Amino acid sequence: MSNRLNIPNDLRAFWMPFTANRQFKQEPRFFVAAKDMHYTTHDGRQVLDATAGLWCVNAGHCRPKITEAIQQQAGELDYAPAFQLGHPKAFELANRLVDIAPKGLDHVLYTNSGSESVDTALKVALAYQRVKGQGSRTRLIGRERGYHGVNFGGISVGGIVSNRKMFGTLLTGVDHMPHTHLPAVNAFTRGEPEHGGDLATELERIVTLHDASTIAAVIVEPVSGSTGVLIPPKGYLQKLRDICTKHGILLIFDEVITGFGRLGTPFAADYFGVTPDIMVTAKGLTNGVIPMGAVFVSAEIHDAFMTGPEHMIEFMHGYTYSGNPIASAAALATLDTYKEEGLLTRAAELASYWEDGLHSLKDCPHVIDIRNIGLIGAIELEPIAGEPTKRAFAAFLKAYETGLLIRTTGDIIALSPPLIIEKHQIDEIVSRLREILTHNI
Ligand code: PXG
Ligand code: PLP
């Protein structure tokens, strides 16, 4: 067994999320501290974070402003009831968020995670259609290989089989567009792929099948992260937007990963020049430090609910911790940090260096595709025959042992470093990966 310094004696009680529990508990991997681009392991090693935690620590770790804001808020106002009462920071934060959001997304609902943000967005969409007198619009359209968190709404519109198959019938009335991953024609594309934009017309086919009058909303990740970094083909998102507009269907962008600077613009909607009706965020909103999500909606949607007697609740939805004071303080300090350091656009400056670095690994053994956009990257490996996921997981373990944190999904290595990364650290990621891919898997 590895060095177990700093590891609790009994690991049985905690049933870990999305983890091979039995294997982990035999050979545990613990982080005990973090600063900027690095984690410290339980056995005292430094690990370069090439994944921003789980795609969330966009400003790097233990940033002083954020830490101090949380400490200060915890001593001043710890909790305020979220329903029928408020506290100033939740309102200040909403205004700050609307200021950096794509034009037209003027209102914010708070949640505590991406999964809750997704379910909130789907509920807003269904309720909006109903308050507009279009109650027959109840269908939700997702996409194959989509990831929208783990709650029932999110797995219903999501398209990852293993996350769905154990959980019964899910939401009814959901349909899925095909995914856009076309390695046969697009492998090793830098940035947006040439081929596949026409797959958006599959939405027209679905609309024809069900009739637009039954469809409330379409939800997609502008760039799919969890499923292995699938970048939208050129023109695809604009076509989805046009089809939705034409048929009165709401377009929801799930920007849980792409939000807050990951592509070199504040949101992917800015990067692609396509504005959704609803935008789902979480993760980078608080730099991953305190759980919080935000759902942005257009004035048109918000205003549709603001009818009826003024003493009545307009939308029957919310969480105990919606707009929690400490989370709000963390988010405000995160936005300050992003602003002071130009982090919402920094990825644009580094994107071509990042792209060149990643694509230099093309000649490594087992590499069948490399994809990149902004400060996201993926290296797809040829699976070991009959043992899918094993090759990439071996790379993950070797990377961890040798001081690099990567993320794997299937046989794909996904990379999304903190946006404070320096060029020499990009070089380090690339050279460590070359070593691992060449000698260790
Ligand atoms: N939507 C999208 C697009 C996501 O990427 C969620 C919703 C759910 O967020 P919460 O906060 O409920 O986990 C996500 C989360 C990975 C990985 O390595 C990705 C996520 C979470 C954990 C790991 O691919 N995405
Ligand atoms: N379950 C019970 C019994 C509750 O009382 C509540 C909230 O009051 C919830 C679940 C929902 O919790 P949350 O608001 O934190 O999502």
Side-chain angles (χ1 to χ4, degrees):
M1 192 161 282
S2 63
N3 183 344
R4 297 197 58 154
L5 196 72
N6 284 329
I7 291 186
N9 290 328
D10 192 343
L11 307 182
R12 283 174 299 183
F14 178 21
W15 187 348
M16 296 170 68
F18 276 120
T19 297
N21 273 255
R22 288 158 302 162
Q23 190 213 39
F24 178 93
K25 288 170 190 181
Q26 279 170 33
E27 200 64 48
R29 299 172 289 276
F30 277 54
F31 289 135
V32 295
K35 186 71 196 134
D36 299 330
M37 285 296 299
H38 290 87
Y39 280 109
T40 307
T41 63
H42 66 273
D43 48 359
R45 294 179 302 106
Q46 291 293 292
V47 172
L48 178 62
D49 183 1
T51 61
L54 282 176
W55 315 77
C56 50
V57 186
N58 289 3
H61 295 275
C62 288
R63 301 306 310 275
K65 258 218 150 121
I66 304 171
T67 310
E68 282 157 26
I70 291 167
Q71 288 168 337
Q72 218 273 330
Q73 187 62 43
E76 183 182 304
L77 174 67
D78 50 356
Y79 177 79
F83 307 161
Q84 305 286 19
L85 288 156
H87 69 92
K89 287 205 173 70
F91 291 87
E92 186 188 341
L93 175 61
N95 292 333
R96 292 272 304 273
L97 287 170
V98 165
D99 282 347
I100 60 165
K103 203 162 171 298
L105 295 175
D106 294 335
H107 300 273
V108 171
L109 301 95
Y110 293 119
T111 73
N112 309 288
S113 66
S115 297
E116 288 183 357
S117 289
V118 166
D119 279 34
T120 297
L122 298 176
K123 286 176 72 178
V124 168
L126 290 169
Y128 166 78
Q129 299 291 10
R130 202 177 138 118
V131 299
K132 290 288 279 187
Q134 306 197 73
S136 65
R137 289 186 180 263
T138 56
R139 288 185 188 280
L140 300 167
I141 310 298
R143 191 168 55 182
E144 295 166 357
R145 291 190 71 157
Y147 185 68
H148 300 293
V150 292
N151 291 346
F152 271 105
I155 59 174
S156 299
V157 292
I160 300 181
V161 183
S162 51
N163 291 359
R164 295 161 49 85
K165 69 180 181 193
M166 305 298 278
F167 309 109
T169 52
L170 311 179
L171 287 187
T172 55
V174 171
D175 208 340
H176 291 77
M177 300 180 288
H179 66 72
T180 62
H181 188 41
L182 303 171
V185 286
N186 286 330
F188 298 104
T189 298
R190 291 164 174 251
E192 293 167 78
E194 285 300 328
H195 307 283
D198 287 345
L199 283 168
T201 56
E202 286 291 310
L203 179 57
E204 271 297 358
R205 187 185 59 75
I206 289 172
V207 172
T208 306
L209 175 67
H210 297 296
D211 197 71
S213 66
T214 71
I215 302 176
V218 169
I219 181 166
V220 291
E221 303 155 272
V223 176
S224 301
S226 279
T227 183
V229 181
L230 310 185
I231 295 156
K234 285 185 182 156
Y236 176 86
L237 293 171
Q238 184 60 52
K239 284 200 185 100
L240 284 189
R241 174 71 275 180
D242 293 344
I243 296 167
C244 286
T245 303
K246 178 172 140 199
H247 295 292
I249 297 167
L250 296 176
L251 179 61
I252 306 172
F253 275 179
D254 183 344
E255 296 229 22
V256 168
I257 278 176
T258 52
F260 302 102
R262 181 55 51 197
L263 302 187
T265 48
F267 298 93
D270 305 307
Y271 185 97
F272 296 109
V274 177
T275 307
D277 302 292
I278 304 178
M279 187 171 79
V280 169
T281 69
K283 290 191 189 272
L285 169 58
T286 56
N287 203 34
V289 178
I290 298 273
M292 188 181 222
V295 179
F296 295 72
V297 305
S298 65
E300 152 85 18
I301 291 174
H302 167 270
D303 294 351
F305 287 85
M306 300 300 137
T307 57
E310 288 197 359
H311 68 284
M312 295 296 286
I313 295 169
E314 294 99 356
F315 182 45
M316 288 291 180
H317 178 79
Y319 301 99
T320 302
Y321 307 118
S322 296
N324 172 280
I326 298 176
S328 299
L332 284 167
T334 298
L335 295 185
D336 287 343
T337 303
Y338 289 159
K339 189 170 180 188
E340 284 160 19
E341 301 179 15
L343 295 181
L344 296 182
T345 51
R346 187 156 191 276
E349 293 155 30
L350 290 168
S352 73
Y353 195 81
W354 172 251
E355 174 175 289
D356 288 343
L358 289 187
H359 283 268
S360 75
L361 297 169
K362 186 174 177 176
D363 62 322
C364 289
H366 317 299
V367 172
I368 57 174
D369 191 10
I370 296 175
R371 306 184 276 280
N372 70 284
I373 189 164
L375 270 179
I376 302 183
I379 301 168
E380 185 150 359
L381 304 177
E382 180 159 40
I384 298 171
E387 294 185 303
T389 76
K390 223 174 165 181
R391 192 181 320 266
F393 196 65
F396 166 78
L397 290 176
K398 193 69 200 171
Y400 173 77
E401 267 170 39
T402 55
L404 179 68
L405 181 67
I406 59 174
R407 177 89 188 130
T408 65
T409 168
D411 275 296
I412 301 163
I413 295 172
L415 302 163
S416 58
L419 307 173
I420 58 167
I421 193 169
E422 298 289 347
K423 284 185 176 171
H424 72 90
Q425 291 160 329
I426 294 179
D427 297 342
E428 186 182 335
I429 292 171
V430 171
S431 67
R432 281 177 189 272
L433 282 172
R434 172 169 288 283
E435 175 71 20
I436 292 162
L437 294 172
T438 308
H439 298 297
N440 296 111
I441 54 165

